[in-house]
Amino acid sequence: MRRALTAVLGTGALLLAMLVAVALPASAAPGTLKESAAAKGRVFGAAAATAHMGESAYAATLDREFNQLTPENEMKWATTEPSRNSFDFGPADQLVSHAQAQSMKIRGHTLVWHNQLPDWVSGISSRDDLLSAMRNHIAKEAGHYAGKVAYWDVVNEAFQDGSGARRDSVFQRVIGDSYMEEAFRAARAADPSAKLCYNDYNIDGQNAKSNAVYNMVKDFKARGVPIDCVGLQAHLTLGAVPSDMQTNMQRFADLGVDVHITELDIRMSTPPDSSKLATQANDYKKVVSACLAVSRCTVITVWGVTDKYSWIPDVFPGEGAALLFDGNYAKKPAYDAALQALGGEDPGDPGDPGDPGAVTCTYARTAQWNGGFNGQVTIKAGATAVASWTVVMTMGSGQQIVALWNGTASTSGNVVTVKPVGWNGSLAPGASASYGFTVNAPTGNTADPVISCGTP
Ligand code: G3I
């Protein structure tokens, strides 16, 4: 809100904008991901697993922050129909009941996928037989959850990286290209109220694979095959958010489907450090902002509640720390950045499990000119006094801080860590301190820094 105001008003009206910004009560901004997403007409979800629901911090974090739940493994074919026509919905039902009790939407994941597929399916060699098994699986599973699931990932990961050709799965080999539309038609018949999505990874930017998905969606829309949404999984690596992610989402939206970010995580080499975490925060901000810029991008779901249980270290040894909460359920800088991008503000309630500290921080641009600007960061204590604070600022490329007052700064690449000068470190409950700085932006990049703060 503050940034939008200063961006639309000219320099002449800057003083007025500053006064308006100062007048906005901090409590006006929503304090959790789900609240701030809802205020923007979006849904913010997480993948969750039955196995962890008994852990109180896990369930509490899930319930507090997210309003959509994707069962991480429990709705996959190997779990729900391990032998032919014998169904087990027990583990998924637990998650669905939990989600319903919390008024969370449910994403069904996934009906047709080459992975986590029972051997009896992989062994079918007759087209009619496999088509009948697939139709039955979809009818029974989507039928079981009819009216309860908001979105289904009907078909998952059916295209190859690089070429964008169809993936060589048993469905592709035995049924042929038509298996996908057969799956979507069966899903619509089983649950007419669920939004039906195609879901894949490495289709977050424009490339041969996302082009292939685009052509498939275009063809489905032209021929009346029921499809409502495309899921961009967004399993990303640090510092590599595709620069054309927004354009890519928009082209799908222009075909008349919703776009969902379905499995967002941004992995880094472990252990994390403040510089990597700041880059990750900036990456999350980019993804959330890209989604908000596309009106049909309606859902953002992260692939897990906590780094503790992420799939990444199992598959990419030496990498991890990809999510918004660390292994102790503390909010990471990426959390603050995602919340900030959604227009929310962390209330800094020290009673929250894993809250990184009892301070919140807000940023305001206080002056600007051709090639630079002044900024001010205000750090506010929550319900308890704090002895000190730290703010991490990620600067835009080409920017340089040339002066900073009422704080001490150390710089590593584009990450600037600011600590108190001494007299403004200790804050009584509800008290605040501010520091200011001047940024030179010779290349014309006057983007605001991404900030996060804590109480080390
Ligand atoms: O349940 C068994 C357990 O009994 C056994 O002791 C243990 C030993 O390794 O394995 C457990 O199963 C594991 C399962 O997750 C549940 O934890 C599997 O080995 C493991 O392969 C499986 O990994 C899942 C992976 O899909 C399978 O491909 C991950 O949790 C899950 O996060 C991941 O999710 C996928 C999405 O569905 C599709 N997009 C990519 C995404 C990441 O790979």
Side-chain angles (χ1 to χ4, degrees):
M1 177 66 171
R2 284 166 198 151
R3 232 171 306 153
L5 274 172
T6 45
V8 295
L9 294 170
T11 328
L14 195 65
L15 186 61
L16 175 64
M18 285 164 58
L19 289 173
V20 172
V22 169
L24 283 172
S27 58
T32 61
L33 295 169
K34 67 179 177 187
E35 289 165 1
S36 48
K40 300 278 186 196
R42 267 58 174 197
V43 167
F44 210 103
T50 316
H52 311 312
M53 293 300 288
E55 192 174 317
S56 58
Y58 182 93
T61 307
L62 175 70
D63 295 350
R64 190 186 69 231
E65 297 289 343
F66 302 100
N67 56 4
Q68 183 261 305
L69 187 158
T70 307
E72 188 174 355
N73 290 296
E74 293 77 354
M75 287 186 172
K76 293 171 180 173
W77 199 321
T79 301
T80 57
E81 195 187 1
S83 55
R84 191 161 188 170
N85 210 26
S86 166
F87 287 86
D88 179 4
F89 296 120
D93 282 353
Q94 281 183 47
L95 292 171
V96 170
S97 300
H98 184 94
Q100 287 181 319
Q102 295 292 326
S103 304
M104 293 175 181
K105 289 180 187 292
I106 299 150
R107 179 177 210 88
H109 175 80
T110 172
L111 293 169
V112 179
W113 189 28
H114 65 278
N115 215 339
Q116 289 172 292
L117 191 63
D119 289 345
W120 69 264
V121 182
S122 314
I124 297 178
S125 55
S126 133
R127 184 177 193 275
D128 286 351
D129 200 13
L130 186 54
L131 205 45
S132 147
M134 186 183 80
R135 285 179 179 145
N136 183 56
H137 177 73
I138 294 171
K140 297 282 171 55
E141 180 159 357
H144 178 77
Y145 291 111
K148 296 180 177 173
V149 161
Y151 329 100
W152 265 113
D153 291 331
V154 178
V155 177
N156 196 41
E157 301 174 4
F159 291 90
Q160 289 176 28
D161 283 324
S163 65
R166 290 293 191 96
R167 181 190 288 275
D168 179 26
S169 68
V170 67
F171 304 105
Q172 183 66 33
R173 266 194 316 275
V174 175
I175 301 175
D177 279 357
S178 64
Y179 87 86
M180 276 212 251
E181 59 193 86
E182 293 286 355
F184 277 85
R185 290 196 168 103
R188 181 68 97 224
D191 183 357
S193 68
K195 291 209 172 205
L196 307 181
C197 306
Y198 175 78
N199 189 50
D200 213 329
Y201 62 90
N202 286 351
I203 60 165
D204 317 304
Q206 298 197 46
N207 54 44
K209 190 175 178 181
S210 65
N211 290 346
V213 176
Y214 178 86
N215 290 331
M216 185 263 295
V217 174
K218 192 173 178 186
D219 171 54
F220 277 17
K221 293 300 277 185
R223 292 191 295 115
V225 178
I227 185 164
D228 306 304
C229 35
V230 173
L232 276 50
Q233 293 186 5
H235 292 294
L236 301 173
T237 54
L238 196 67
V241 176
S243 56
D244 57 0
M245 190 166 184
Q246 181 185 324
T247 319
N248 187 43
M249 289 195 285
Q250 189 62 56
R251 72 170 171 155
F252 281 111
D254 291 344
L255 290 176
V257 290
D258 290 341
V259 182
H260 299 164
I261 295 171
T262 51
E263 305 185 13
L264 176 61
D265 50 25
I266 303 178
R267 60 186 184 265
M268 61 179 71
S269 60
T270 48
D273 61 28
S274 62
S275 168
K276 288 188 258 185
L277 290 171
T279 303
Q280 184 187 52
N282 205 24
D283 289 345
Y284 267 95
K285 178 190 173 190
K286 285 184 190 169
V287 173
V288 171
S289 304
C291 178
L292 291 178
V294 176
S295 60
R296 290 200 78 144
C297 178
T298 52
V299 179
I300 302 173
T301 299
V302 289
W303 202 242
V305 174
T306 159
D307 289 342
K308 187 175 177 182
Y309 298 125
S310 163
W311 66 288
I312 303 265
D314 288 342
V315 175
F316 299 100
E319 295 183 63
L323 294 166
L324 300 174
F325 292 90
D326 73 13
N328 296 314
Y329 299 95
K331 294 167 181 170
K332 294 163 63 182
Y335 172 93
D336 295 319
L339 187 68
Q340 199 183 340
L342 289 164
E345 197 170 284
D346 187 346
D349 175 4
D352 283 350
D355 197 286
V359 292
T360 52
C361 47
T362 51
Y363 165 84
R365 182 176 292 214
T366 52
Q368 67 183 43
W369 53 90
N370 270 347
F373 61 93
N374 277 349
Q376 177 172 295
V377 173
T378 300
I379 305 97
K380 185 175 182 207
T384 53
V386 299
S388 187
W389 45 263
T390 303
V391 178
V392 176
M393 301 197 293
T394 307
M395 309 306 296
S397 71
Q399 295 181 348
Q400 198 185 4
I401 291 190
V402 289
L404 190 140
W405 51 97
N406 295 339
T408 53
S410 55
T411 302
S412 165
N414 65 336
V415 178
V416 181
T417 303
V418 182
K419 292 186 177 289
V421 279
W423 56 267
N424 62 354
S426 139
L427 300 175
S432 53
S434 295
Y435 66 85
F437 54 95
T438 298
V439 178
N440 259 2
T443 61
N445 176 11
T446 54
D448 290 325
V450 176
I451 60 164
S452 62
C453 54
T455 52

